[in-house]
Amino acid sequence: MLRTTGGLLAVSMLGDPGRGGQDTPGSRPPRIKIGQIGVGHAHADKLAVYRRSEDYEVVGVVEMDARLREQARSKEAFRDLPWMTREQLLATPGLQAVLVETRVRDLLDAAEACVAAGMHVHLDKPAGESLPQYRRILDAAAKKKLWVQMGYMYRYNPAVVLLREILERGWLGEVFEVHAVMSKVVEPAGRAAFAEYRGGTMFELGCHVIDLVVGVLGAPGKITPYPRHSSKSGDSLLDNMLAVFEYPRATATVRSTALEVEGFARRHLTVCGSEGTFHIQPLDEPSVRLAFSEPRDPYRKGYQDVPMPRYTRYVDDAAEMARVIRGEKPIDFTPEHDIAVQTAVFEASGLAVNS
């Protein structure tokens, strides 16, 4: 399902892969015209990454909600950009790709319109509230040779890249256990927004690490959710969630809460195999602790800390999209992987997969 990015142990020199570091002045290909639909998603400000990139020309932004549009105008990510209707953006000459950053409830309708217009899409997470519609969008994109890139923010985290490469080498042996935690304290206004969706914190937050679990172990045979409302708040938010993923020879647990003090610091992914253990904590400013049953050059037997470079979210996702659009590389995360992730997100959130 998943292609690795290659280059074992080059992680400390990653910087910005796919940037075309060997280019000579004037040799860069034309910039890719890209726009954004929506500013209501929590990660909508990622547009700043594309504005800084030499790969892209950002042509405009769509937001029909006047309140959201006014809030966004003062943010650096959107400053001085043209505001358009969706029809105007999709009719822009030479437009090739669109970031879909609406509220979650509107993600799939916007993405479907973009694919119908012949655009590549960067779709933020989770992939909407209808698995059948998401499948339909991916099928339509494939028929048109377009790509829907998902916005899971840890895919190009250097620690996760290193983990994938070590797994590809077989250095952890047979994986039998995975743990993942994705939590924080969500304030009352945020709780109200989260409560709009029946899947609670697992749907909104846990999806990021479910993407990682499926990347390591593939689609599970069974998922058992344990949703809880544990705060004293009178809202309906499922704010303390656990899911157990079952495989023939492995299990995985995913936890996601809206209640954990200093939750960012304890966000982690642990992969245990018969020949080693790989632990990332925290995920957002990655730190790796790694153990092997025998030396694996340049690593020694036993536990050791592995330094990671500084990491900026979405820079490498943007670079990958540019290279894929230009035909310079295959995609790293296939539609099959993304469907497996969204199916697992639904099941881990206690939602029906045919909804």
Side-chain angles (χ1 to χ4, degrees):
M1 279 201 232
L2 174 62
R3 299 179 186 273
T4 58
T5 53
L8 183 68
L9 308 180
V11 67
S12 62
M13 298 178 287
L14 277 176
D16 188 1
R19 276 327 228 196
Q22 302 301 314
D23 288 348
T24 57
S27 70
R28 293 195 64 84
R31 292 190 176 200
I32 294 165
K33 287 188 176 182
I34 193 168
Q36 180 163 310
I37 296 177
V39 300
H41 196 282
H43 298 163
D45 289 7
K46 71 174 64 165
L47 185 62
V49 169
Y50 295 79
R51 296 190 72 178
R52 290 192 295 265
S53 170
E54 294 182 3
D55 288 322
Y56 294 96
E57 174 191 347
V58 178
V59 300
V61 186
V62 174
E63 179 53 69
M64 301 313 294
D65 185 308
R67 182 182 61 84
L68 290 177
R69 188 169 62 246
E70 193 58 33
Q71 289 174 350
R73 286 184 190 277
S74 62
K75 295 182 178 180
E76 187 63 33
F78 306 104
R79 192 165 294 152
D80 300 324
L81 284 174
W83 293 87
M84 304 176 168
T85 66
R86 190 168 79 182
E87 292 72 23
Q88 287 171 331
L89 175 65
L90 296 180
T92 300
L95 187 72
Q96 292 178 269
V98 177
L99 309 176
V100 175
E101 299 289 336
T102 66
R103 296 181 179 98
V104 172
R105 62 176 177 262
D106 299 321
L107 287 171
L108 293 184
D109 287 345
E112 194 156 28
C114 293
V115 169
M119 305 300 159
H120 300 281
V121 174
H122 174 92
L123 177 64
D124 221 318
K125 62 80 202 173
E129 299 180 273
S130 169
L131 192 59
Q133 185 180 9
Y134 182 48
R135 289 181 182 275
R136 185 172 74 234
I137 291 166
L138 294 185
D139 288 345
K143 289 176 182 176
K144 293 189 171 190
K145 300 190 183 327
L146 300 171
W147 181 36
V148 178
Q149 180 192 50
M150 281 304 303
Y152 289 113
M153 65 190 182
Y154 296 130
R155 288 185 168 183
Y156 292 99
N157 179 310
V160 174
V161 172
L162 181 60
L163 169 62
R164 286 201 295 266
E165 293 167 345
I166 283 176
L167 287 168
E168 188 177 61
R169 296 283 180 104
W171 287 359
L172 295 186
E174 295 296 320
V175 174
F176 60 86
E177 186 177 305
V178 176
H179 306 270
V181 173
M182 184 73 178
S183 299
K184 65 179 181 179
V185 173
V186 178
E187 301 300 335
R191 289 180 64 91
F194 275 32
E196 291 183 27
Y197 308 104
R198 293 169 295 143
T201 56
M202 188 66 76
F203 185 72
E204 271 279 354
L205 287 176
C207 59
H208 283 293
V209 291
I210 290 173
D211 180 59
L212 301 181
V213 170
V214 173
V216 172
L217 288 171
K222 179 181 178 182
I223 298 177
T224 304
Y226 295 89
R228 297 289 184 272
H229 175 89
S230 296
S231 77
K232 295 180 180 179
S233 169
D235 62 29
S236 61
L237 176 63
L238 295 171
D239 56 15
N240 182 17
M241 303 190 73
L242 163 69
V244 177
F245 290 49
E246 298 181 38
Y247 297 85
R249 300 174 65 87
T251 56
T253 59
V254 178
R255 287 188 176 274
S256 182
T257 86
L259 304 169
E260 185 172 345
V261 175
E262 298 295 336
F264 280 90
R266 210 174 68 83
R267 290 182 177 183
H268 70 259
L269 175 71
T270 305
V271 180
C272 302
S274 56
E275 302 296 329
T277 296
F278 195 108
H279 179 73
I280 309 170
Q281 185 178 350
L283 278 165
D284 296 275
E285 295 181 5
S287 179
V288 170
R289 190 154 172 73
L290 173 62
F292 286 120
S293 60
E294 59 183 78
R296 302 286 190 180
D297 186 42
Y299 304 110
R300 64 179 183 273
K301 179 180 178 179
Y303 265 109
Q304 56 225 277
D305 294 317
V306 182
M308 290 288 108
R310 290 184 62 84
Y311 168 63
T312 301
R313 292 177 184 172
Y314 304 118
V315 170
D316 297 332
D317 305 66
E320 186 208 11
M321 174 169 265
R323 294 180 63 199
V324 169
I325 289 173
R326 291 172 176 148
E328 297 170 1
K329 68 181 294 295
I331 60 176
D332 289 333
F333 297 87
T334 65
E336 292 78 14
H337 170 83
D338 288 340
I339 283 290
V341 170
Q342 187 69 355
T343 302
V345 169
F346 269 54
E347 293 178 347
S349 302
L351 302 175
V353 297
N354 60 352
S355 61

